[in-house]
Amino acid sequence: MMASRKPLALHLGILALLLVLFFVLPAYHVGAFSRIMVLAIYAMGYNLLFGYTGLLSLGHAMFFAAGMYGFGLTTNLTGFSVIPAFASAMLAAGLLALGVGYLALRTAGVAFMIVTLMFAQTVYLIILYFGTYTRGDEGFVVQQAQRQLAGIDLTTETARYFTAFILFSVCFLAMAKLVQMPFGKRLIAIRENEERARMLGYDVANLKLRAMVISGVFSGVAGASYALLFGYVGASFAGVQYSIFPLLWVLLGGAGTTIGPLIGVIFMFYLIDISSGWTNAYMLVAGIVLVLLTLFAPQGIVGTLRKRGVAWLP
Amino acid sequence: MAAVNVLEAKGLTKIYGGVEANVDVDLHLDQGKITALIGPNGAGKSTFVGMISGRIAPTRGTVYFKGRDISQLPAHKRMQLGMAYTFQITSIFPGLSVYDNVALAAGLRLAHDKQAHDAKVHAVLDRIGLDDRADQTAGDLSYGHQRVLEIAMGLAQEPEVFILDEPTQGLSETEVDAFIALMKSIAGETTILLIEHNMRVVAALADHVTVLDQGRVLASGTFAEIHANDAVQAAYLGSTPHA
Ligand SMILES: Nc1ncnc2c1ncn2[C@@H]1O[C@H](COP(=O)(O)OP(=O)(O)O)[C@@H](O)[C@H]1O
Ligand SMILES: [Mg+2]
């Protein structure tokens, strides 16, 4: 029973730390952390499928985009307020994940990577095709007037930070709970030995589909949060690089760990941020660090700590 | 009362390209009894239990579970009906703890009840002698312990029909003795289909023996009858003199 208290303390400690950061960090970094928390939701969604279930998707940007456009288009075209627009964004991402999962999960391994990549490309092209509504590559702005919730203007730095914080906290604690539940254990079982899981009587296909939908909804929540808090919706978020990012974040932070995704996003954000202050070739610096990390800490930051003695890390 | 057929295979056939792995194999398992399936390597034993458990799709033939035709059911649904299966090549969750391995096996029935679930896992680990290794990573266990763990997982499923594909392969003599004792203790409640090369185990456990050779049933009877059967001697027992 002791074992289950430590992770909870860690999770609450991290949330407390994020709260404190708002008061101690300079404005620039407060803004950075608003973004980091939103992207970490995306990373957590990805982690459920990749880190826990063992399914490597190369197309998660489509779910992020489904949330982003689901939110942005709903507010812009229907004038819905934040809550219903957010709900429709989650629905859009969930339904997309259900459909894509239903088809793509018939494949495995490299085929699954390719099929998800193709679906994401399709979504990207659809966004460009319906340029009348989406404004294509250029994207569109979600007006300040539409980014109000219960009389609070979400465009201020403070409101933005705390909204990101609340959304992150809910997702973070929900995900930590989910992977502790029998459902989460079964996903890990699939990752470890799919045939064994099946021969224990688990409906592997159904579990994978549910993991896909939850992963898609988390990604969609991140996309919708991004549109809500930063006021911009654009096709670049549906591009291939936004499918690769969550993979990198999760690999860096630690796949199949609860805090790895957040750590990975923070690490990569500041890696690029700091190296771009030194040199124009900052992507080269970032690339070298990534290579070194994968060579010397293949389980990511949290995964490596867990292996080096902090075994209880969730 | 006549013996009840828990599981019955009729005309199970599997043809791989030109290889007749199983041809019209009939077999039934009497409730609570131990049936041993023996035969030389390549006889088709693993293929046969693969078709029963749903891992391998038969070319033709029917499988009945308690009178119900389950031929169309996928493997996981058959396991949900009350079957358990241990692989010839050890198949566990290597990255998870011993405890979690058994918990997953018990979880299908018990995950909704945390306390009963935990109690079940400890009871099984205790029974099989792995309780002191509960926190160890399963992949770090010795080969013998991994095989024992897989048997423990089968026990944790509380199956009505327990299918074991060469469970004693690679076990030490003491571990084999423990295995024999374990099977004796669960027979009665559990119907067991055992693929086994070790004749000492077959002699100690089997109520009924079926011999498979080149995909066909060669003989069927008690261990004594099988041992006295000339055809079996020629095909199988003769090749391993008094093993
Ligand atoms: N997937 C497969 N593809 C082709 N041939 C197979 C396959 N699986 C088994 N066989 C063949 O079927 C026969 C029976 O194999 P198997 O059931 O594993 O025998 P046993 O378990 O009795 O040693 C062997 O000749 C084997 O080579
Ligand atoms: Mg075999």
Side-chain angles (χ1 to χ4, degrees):
Chain A
M1 294 298 107
M2 268 301 288
S4 69
R5 226 172 271 157
K6 266 193 199 170
L8 182 65
L10 176 74
H11 294 149
L12 294 178
I14 284 174
L15 292 180
L17 186 67
L18 286 171
L19 212 52
V20 169
L21 283 182
F22 173 79
F23 298 101
V24 299
L25 283 183
Y28 170 77
H29 294 285
V30 166
F33 262 87
S34 303
R35 208 170 293 256
I36 283 170
M37 286 189 283
V38 169
L39 294 178
I41 297 173
Y42 183 23
M44 288 191 293
Y46 190 82
N47 189 33
L48 184 72
L49 199 66
F50 171 65
Y52 286 96
T53 320
L55 291 165
L56 200 160
S57 149
L58 284 182
H60 255 50
M62 68 180 135
F63 306 127
F64 188 85
M68 181 174 249
Y69 281 90
F71 180 83
L73 290 177
T74 308
T75 45
N76 270 17
L77 300 177
T78 68
F80 276 2
S81 62
V82 168
I83 301 265
F86 207 92
S88 55
M90 289 171 69
L91 189 68
L95 287 177
L96 181 64
L98 184 67
V100 169
Y102 181 76
L103 296 168
L105 287 171
R106 287 151 199 267
T107 66
V110 176
F112 181 76
M113 291 158 59
I114 292 170
V115 172
T116 47
L117 182 71
M118 298 315 283
F119 272 116
Q121 270 317 93
T122 309
V123 167
Y124 178 70
L125 293 174
I126 288 173
I127 290 169
L128 296 187
Y129 183 80
F130 289 100
T132 342
Y133 305 102
T134 64
R135 310 271 315 275
D137 260 334
E138 200 182 309
F140 61 89
V141 165
V142 182
Q143 298 300 333
Q144 187 174 5
Q146 290 158 326
R147 292 157 63 198
Q148 311 283 325
L149 181 61
I152 302 167
D153 181 357
L154 299 181
T155 63
T156 69
E157 198 61 80
T158 305
R160 182 162 34 202
Y161 190 92
F162 282 97
T163 311
F165 174 75
I166 289 167
L167 286 164
F168 173 79
S169 302
V170 169
C171 291
F172 183 58
L173 294 177
M175 186 59 84
K177 176 78 188 154
L178 188 73
V179 298
Q180 272 307 307
M181 283 169 29
F183 172 70
K185 301 273 189 198
R186 290 167 189 184
L187 299 186
I188 296 172
I190 293 174
R191 177 193 75 197
E192 287 290 314
N193 186 344
E194 180 171 340
E195 181 68 358
R196 207 343 131 204
R198 178 178 297 115
M199 296 310 285
L200 289 178
Y202 293 115
D203 188 343
V204 169
N206 180 273
L207 287 165
K208 282 182 180 175
L209 186 60
R210 281 155 64 189
M212 184 95 178
V213 170
I214 296 170
S215 175
V217 170
F218 269 71
S219 306
V221 164
S225 305
Y226 203 97
L228 170 67
L229 298 179
F230 302 101
Y232 172 72
V233 174
S236 61
F237 290 101
V240 177
Q241 67 273 36
Y242 265 85
S243 288
I244 305 290
F245 279 142
L247 174 62
L248 290 179
W249 294 327
V250 168
L251 280 175
L252 281 177
T257 67
T258 54
I259 60 173
L262 174 68
I263 307 282
V265 175
I266 295 174
F267 187 88
M268 186 124 139
F269 186 93
Y270 280 101
L271 180 66
I272 291 177
D273 195 59
I274 293 168
S275 56
S276 63
W278 296 337
T279 163
N280 281 332
Y282 62 90
M283 280 313 284
L284 186 67
V285 178
I288 291 170
V289 173
L290 293 182
V291 169
L292 289 177
L293 251 172
T294 24
L295 279 179
F296 296 106
Q299 271 119 347
I301 295 165
V302 179
T304 304
L305 285 176
R306 179 150 75 182
K307 227 180 149 188
R308 298 271 165 86
V310 202
W312 59 270
L313 275 179
Chain B
M1 206 176 85
V4 185
N5 261 350
V6 184
L7 196 114
E8 185 165 17
K10 278 210 171 128
L12 273 187
T13 300
K14 181 70 190 180
I15 310 213
Y16 287 114
V19 181
E20 297 182 324
N22 271 210
V23 181
D24 291 324
V25 178
D26 294 337
L27 185 120
H28 67 267
L29 303 181
D30 291 335
Q31 179 139 39
K33 301 288 186 211
I34 301 179
T35 302
L37 187 60
I38 66 171
N41 274 326
K45 306 178 296 295
S46 293
T47 303
F48 178 73
V49 294
M51 290 192 286
I52 286 185
S53 63
R55 286 184 67 217
I56 298 173
T59 306
R60 60 172 186 271
T62 320
V63 182
Y64 300 93
F65 184 77
K66 294 198 270 191
R68 171 183 171 197
D69 182 350
I70 58 164
S71 309
Q72 301 308 316
L73 288 186
H76 70 270
K77 290 236 169 87
R78 299 188 196 193
M79 299 304 119
Q80 287 171 9
L81 287 178
M83 285 193 205
Y85 177 93
T86 67
F87 291 69
Q88 178 169 358
I89 297 163
T90 313
S91 180
I92 55 172
F93 302 111
L96 303 185
S97 69
V98 168
Y99 181 95
D100 280 344
N101 269 267
V102 178
L104 277 160
L108 186 71
R109 280 169 202 276
L110 293 173
H112 60 274
D113 182 345
K114 238 179 169 171
Q115 267 174 346
H117 191 186
D118 183 64
K120 178 75 195 169
V121 176
H122 281 297
V124 168
L125 287 175
D126 196 37
R127 186 168 187 181
I128 202 106
L130 285 176
D131 213 14
D132 54 337
R133 296 177 192 273
D135 295 330
Q136 229 171 300
T137 304
D140 294 342
L141 293 177
S142 70
Y143 176 81
H145 280 139
Q146 290 190 14
R147 285 212 75 82
V148 170
L149 172 60
E150 192 171 355
I151 295 165
M153 290 163 76
L155 290 183
Q157 290 173 264
E158 296 186 352
E160 283 184 62
V161 173
F162 195 177
I163 301 166
L164 301 106
D165 196 346
E166 302 198 19
T168 65
Q169 197 180 50
L171 294 190
S172 70
E173 285 299 298
T174 31
E175 284 168 333
V176 170
D177 288 335
F179 173 79
I180 291 173
L182 180 71
M183 287 297 116
K184 279 188 173 155
S185 74
I186 64 168
E189 313 153 44
T190 312
T191 306
I192 295 167
L193 176 58
L194 182 65
I195 297 182
E196 190 52 71
H197 272 307
N198 185 337
M199 283 308 131
R200 181 163 80 83
V201 177
V202 177
L205 287 176
D207 298 299
H208 188 91
V209 180
T210 293
V211 186
L212 221 52
D213 186 37
Q214 295 179 34
R216 291 167 173 83
V217 175
L218 183 66
S220 193
T222 64
F223 182 73
E225 286 163 6
I226 293 299
H227 208 263
N229 183 313
D230 288 343
V232 176
Q233 287 292 344
Y236 182 54
L237 295 173
S239 62
T240 51
H242 305 288

